Amino acid sequence: MTFGAILTALVALLFLGYYTGRKRSISLSDKSNQRLHSLPQHYGYLIAFWSSVPALLILLFWSVLESSVINAAIVAQLPAQLQQLSADELGLFINEIINLSHSSAPISDDVKRHAVLYYKELIEFSDWVKSIVVFVLAFVAMFVALAFVKPEMQARNLVENLIRWAMIACASIAVLTTIGIIFSVIFESIIFFKTVNVFDFLFGTHWSPQEAIREDQVGGSGSFGALPLFVGTLLISFVALVIAVPLGLMSAIYLSEYSSLRFRSFAKPVLEMLAGIPTVVYGFFAAITVAPFIRDLGESLGLSLSSESALAAGIVMGVMIIPFVSSLSDDVISAVPQAMRDGSYAMGATKSETIKQVIIPAALPGIVSGVLLAASRAIGETMIVVMAAGLSANLTFNPLEAVTTVTVQMVTLLTGDQEFDSAKTLAAFALGLGLFLTTLVLNIISLYVVRKYREQYD
Amino acid sequence: MINIKKREELDIKIDKTVGKPFINDAKFSTRNVDVFYGEKQAIFDANIDIGKNQIIAMIGPSGCGKSTFLRCLNRMNDTIQDCHISGDIKLDDEDIYQRQQDPVLLRARVGMVFQKPNPFPKSIYDNVAYGAKLHGLAGSKIELDELVEKSLTRAGLFKEVKDSLHKPGTGLSGGQQQRLCIARTIAIDPEVILMDEPTSALDPIATAVIEELMISLSKKYTIAIVTHSMQQAARVSQRTAYFHLGYLVEVNDTNTVFTNPEHQLTENYITGRFG
Ligand SMILES: Nc1ncnc2c1ncn2[C@@H]1O[C@H](COP(=O)(O)OP(=O)(O)OP(=O)(O)O)[C@@H](O)[C@H]1O
Ligand SMILES: [Mg+2]
């Protein structure tokens, strides 16, 4: 049976388990004239769980391990000289075998033909054993569980426990994925830092990752001073936040405190649409409209500016992230209890005094998390920067100059044909780690700020 | 929700407010006050005087418009979008709904304490200093400290919180929070204090503390209190007004209302035969 067929059968078993569990609990309680501890469906849920989930886990486990076991078996029966091949070449060979097994074309090479036949045999055998194991397990578990059903069994509490474990499983998957990503980034970075000194990377001011491919190539010694990139990232994000925070916060306050309900129900979705526009459109807009405008403005003031600048990218990015600030702030401001406002008005406070003194402090944690979300969006943004701020790694705090950011350089490091163990590609992981640490620090700072200034309302 | 009927449709007739709604030394006087929420009328033709340095209790079944009427007196109803008011409400012979009247200044003169304690999410000190800072009542930090201490003392809370003035006001117990709200109201030294069921969330001991507080405050302030407890009305107030389905049925000295009510509806209510 194929994976899909087994899965379907297990789902059917799940329903079967549910109904038999229900039925059995009812008939048992009727027979013994004893009140059920829980509702019949709780017994149903329990049986449904036991009749499908353990079998499903075995199925998944089997399917994951299957290919490596089969591959090892094929390699083991290959002629000796083929077994001497490197791991990469063996992998290619096995791939070829698998591909051949799917096609019906005759195979001339004896070794390969044997391998293909053996492979088909193994797969078929595995399928059989798998189906039998899974179904035997499912039915055994179901009948054992059914045997446990008694009217005094605390099915409701057991179901509650199951749900709890399901939640824990989901939460741990999310956490483990994050941890996995972090560790893989850390390990690759460590390899990178074996070739490039950590301090040279963090505080070096010269970024030109091109490496010499031939010994005699000119200007091709990679130099990995990432400081300009981080400064560029922070500069552009700063410009973006300078635009987005006041505009976003003010519009949130207007929408939640001043505007009529009708205007709000129209304006809020429109504002949120800003976040839905693809960033490449923003980049286009920045490069075609905003950047030339800034350049012309500079010229009329007697400055000669390049048409790529951190300012242009930052402004457009700021517009893009307004909804992150405004939408979250609007939600938390609206959630401040009306009693707070009434209390303040009853003291003879005006609307703006009430907003400043009572509402904003009460809503601060939510506002900060909105700003933080916006900031991480700005730090991670790539497309707008490529199009409007350029690729040149200048170490500058002047927003009128062209700069580049960490994410943009990561893209340029990894696009095109690359060796995966060259310093150039590994540098991308180091940059990623740096970015991760930057946002982590930002998060910690803002958590601290919120805890310090948070003002609880009940 | 109670279905408000026209005067003619009521089982028992409410012609005009019986008892003694008008007095000589009035702080507030309302004439022909109607209040609407959108299309729905919540108060019908309310005429009453509220005496200076007196406590007046407003009683009546739920939904009869007590809170609505109270909120007219400091224009808190202005903050509700579709609420409209007609008629005259005079504070010291000045119409508080006239065009020149600034509701913000009015509310500094007519303070309000709510049913549910609503301290601001700030420290105890800042809660009390809030109004004083808004209205520039204290010139210096020392004056402000004094004002905070004085207000808390008069609200009977100072002893309990003097070591935790900079802890959040929301960390206090319900009764303490309510006294904090009273302290912050008297800190701006209003002329009138409106209280909407100020003790309905409190236990008998905290209630007794607040009732005593009201009586001592009434020497200086005019107080209007909405309450569901007739004992409370009898204990603290000099005059009592009975509301029924948006109508002001009877106003009189508290004693008279409870011992010798004039109107059948009032009698039904105070003897527990309402409905
Ligand atoms: N914001 C509002 N919008 C619309 N109708 C309202 C509003 N507030 C009160 N009402 C209506 O006005 C009437 C009087 O309400 P009000 O709150 O003044 O009653 P109350 O006497 O204070 O009742 P309770 O003793 O339960 O507090 C009720 O019918 C109520 O449904
Ligand atoms: Mg009320």
Side-chain angles (χ1 to χ4, degrees), chain A residues 239-253 322 325 371:
Chain A
V239 174
L241 287 178
V242 164
I243 302 281
V245 171
L247 282 178
L249 194 55
M250 299 294 173
S251 42
I253 291 173
I322 285 175
V325 181
V371 171

Side-chain angles (χ1 to χ4, degrees), chain B residues 73-111:
Chain B
L73 301 179
N74 66 345
R75 294 188 59 172
M76 278 300 280
N77 282 337
D78 290 16
T79 60
I80 297 173
Q81 255 186 5
D82 59 350
C83 184
H84 304 288
I85 294 161
S86 66
D88 281 339
I89 302 182
K90 290 207 170 95
L91 172 62
D92 288 336
D93 284 329
E94 258 182 76
D95 187 353
I96 62 170
Y97 279 90
Q98 67 184 325
R99 193 172 289 243
Q100 311 81 298
Q101 177 66 53
D102 178 359
V104 169
L105 292 181
L106 173 72
R107 291 184 200 131
R109 290 174 66 196
V110 184

Side-chain angles (χ1 to χ4, degrees), chain B residues 66-67 115 196-197 226:
Chain B
K66 306 177 297 288
S67 302
Q115 172 171 3
D196 193 349
E197 302 182 40
V226 169

Side-chain angles (χ1 to χ4, degrees), chain A residues 12-297:
Chain A
L13 263 178
L14 189 132
F15 283 102
L16 181 70
Y18 177 76
Y19 283 107
T20 50
R22 247 186 84 116
K23 263 262 169 55
R24 186 167 159 77
S25 69
I26 294 173
S27 73
L28 273 179
S29 109
D30 284 349
K31 235 185 281 169
S32 62
N33 224 345
Q34 202 177 345
R35 219 175 143 267
L36 282 176
H37 171 275
S38 316
L39 295 175
Q41 57 259 43
H42 291 125
Y43 299 89
Y45 292 141
L46 269 188
I47 306 302
F49 171 83
W50 282 109
S51 54
S52 57
V53 175
L56 184 70
L57 289 180
I58 289 292
L59 176 66
L60 290 178
F61 197 63
W62 191 294
S63 309
V64 169
L65 288 187
E66 191 176 40
S67 66
S68 52
V69 173
I70 290 180
N71 290 355
I74 293 177
V75 172
Q77 60 89 55
L78 286 178
Q81 90 265 25
L82 268 177
Q83 287 190 31
Q84 304 303 316
L85 290 174
S86 76
D88 283 351
E89 288 164 313
L90 268 179
L92 280 177
F93 181 81
I94 287 175
N95 261 337
E96 197 187 344
I97 300 295
I98 295 175
N99 288 336
L100 285 174
S101 76
H102 292 311
S103 75
S104 49
I107 303 160
S108 51
D109 187 328
D110 255 1
V111 176
K112 281 183 185 164
R113 193 170 56 237
H114 273 119
V116 167
L117 282 178
Y118 188 54
Y119 174 77
K120 282 184 173 167
E121 234 170 72
L122 280 177
I123 286 282
E124 207 164 304
F125 178 71
S126 163
D127 270 351
W128 267 108
V129 179
K130 179 166 67 185
S131 317
I132 291 169
V133 166
V134 165
F135 285 116
V136 167
L137 181 69
F139 278 106
V140 167
M142 182 164 149
F143 285 115
V144 170
L146 275 172
F148 271 97
V149 171
K150 290 187 194 72
E152 66 269 22
M153 181 192 195
Q154 308 196 335
R156 186 192 299 254
N157 310 30
L158 294 174
V159 168
E160 207 54 40
N161 261 339
L162 281 184
I163 290 173
R164 208 184 81 146
W165 282 106
M167 302 296 156
I168 291 176
C170 292
S172 8
I173 287 175
V175 172
L176 288 179
T177 319
T178 316
I179 293 178
I181 293 175
I182 292 170
F183 271 97
S184 94
V185 169
I186 288 179
F187 286 134
E188 302 288 347
S189 305
I190 289 174
I191 303 176
F192 172 72
F193 288 130
K194 277 181 189 143
T195 50
V196 177
N197 187 308
V198 181
F199 289 97
D200 290 349
F201 176 74
L202 284 182
F203 302 110
T205 56
H206 184 63
W207 177 264
S208 86
Q210 263 341 303
E211 283 190 314
I213 296 170
R214 300 187 316 276
E215 286 296 316
D216 55 340
Q217 200 172 358
V218 194
S221 63
S223 152
F224 296 96
L227 196 60
L229 310 188
F230 283 98
V231 170
T233 299
L234 292 181
L235 181 64
I236 292 185
S237 305
F238 178 75
V239 174
L241 287 178
V242 164
I243 302 281
V245 171
L247 282 178
L249 194 55
M250 299 294 173
S251 42
I253 291 173
Y254 176 73
L255 285 181
S256 56
E257 295 293 312
Y258 289 92
S259 76
S260 70
L261 264 172
R262 263 186 56 215
F263 180 75
R264 179 170 187 229
S265 62
F266 155 80
K268 204 176 173 200
V270 171
L271 199 57
E272 276 163 9
M273 227 146 71
L274 280 178
I277 299 173
T279 54
V280 65
V281 176
Y282 279 109
F284 190 71
F285 177 65
I288 303 284
T289 315
V290 179
F293 174 76
I294 290 174
R295 190 194 50 209
D296 294 348
L297 198 70

Side-chain angles (χ1 to χ4, degrees), chain A residues 258-261 338-350 353-354 357-358 361-362 455-458, chain B residues 71 74 76 79 81 104 107-108 110-112 114 116-122 127 130-131 134-135 170 184-185 188:
Chain A
Y258 289 92
S259 76
S260 70
L261 264 172
Q338 181 62 30
M340 292 289 115
R341 299 186 179 84
D342 284 349
S344 177
Y345 293 142
M347 302 286 296
T350 62
E353 284 163 348
T354 302
Q357 309 272 359
V358 175
E455 297 187 327
Q456 281 283 359
Y457 54 92
D458 79 53
Chain B
R71 289 163 63 92
N74 66 345
M76 278 300 280
T79 60
Q81 255 186 5
V104 169
R107 291 184 200 131
V110 184
M112 187 164 205
F114 297 82
K116 197 167 161 259
N118 58 347
F120 300 126
K122 299 174 179 297
N127 260 285
Y130 184 78
L134 281 181
H135 302 295
T170 41
R184 106 187 152 191
T185 305
I188 53 172

Side-chain angles (χ1 to χ4, degrees), chain B residues 110-262:
Chain B
V110 184
M112 187 164 205
V113 176
F114 297 82
Q115 172 171 3
K116 197 167 161 259
N118 58 347
F120 300 126
K122 299 174 179 297
S123 70
I124 294 172
Y125 182 95
D126 286 335
N127 260 285
V128 182
Y130 184 78
K133 281 187 194 157
L134 281 181
H135 302 295
L137 298 183
S140 65
K141 173 87 174 100
I142 299 165
E143 270 179 58
L144 192 62
D145 288 349
E146 271 169 19
L147 179 69
V148 169
E149 179 175 342
K150 201 180 86 191
S151 309
L152 283 170
T153 310
R154 285 177 59 200
L157 188 62
F158 187 68
K159 262 198 234 129
E160 290 156 67
V161 300
K162 64 173 183 289
D163 298 323
S164 53
L165 284 179
H166 294 283
K167 299 237 172 78
T170 41
L172 297 173
S173 78
Q176 290 173 325
Q177 287 188 13
Q178 196 61 301
R179 278 180 281 153
L180 179 61
C181 292
I182 295 176
R184 106 187 152 191
T185 305
I186 53 187
I188 53 172
D189 202 27
E191 298 157 35
V192 183
I193 302 177
L194 310 174
M195 297 186 170
D196 193 349
E197 302 182 40
T199 61
S200 65
L202 307 182
D203 74 298
I205 295 172
T207 303
V209 173
I210 289 183
E211 283 179 6
E212 251 167 61
L213 177 60
M214 283 191 275
I215 292 169
S216 74
L217 290 175
S218 71
K219 297 191 181 74
K220 190 156 178 262
Y221 305 103
T222 302
I223 297 178
I225 170 180
V226 169
T227 177
H228 277 294
S229 154
M230 282 174 272
Q231 290 91 327
Q232 180 167 67
R235 280 193 299 263
V236 300
S237 70
Q238 281 87 48
R239 295 170 77 229
T240 296
Y242 175 69
F243 284 79
H244 189 91
L245 298 181
Y247 295 97
L248 186 49
V249 177
E250 178 162 357
V251 184
N252 217 327
D253 295 337
T254 299
N255 254 335
T256 319
V257 171
F258 284 112
T259 54
N260 188 17
E262 217 170 295

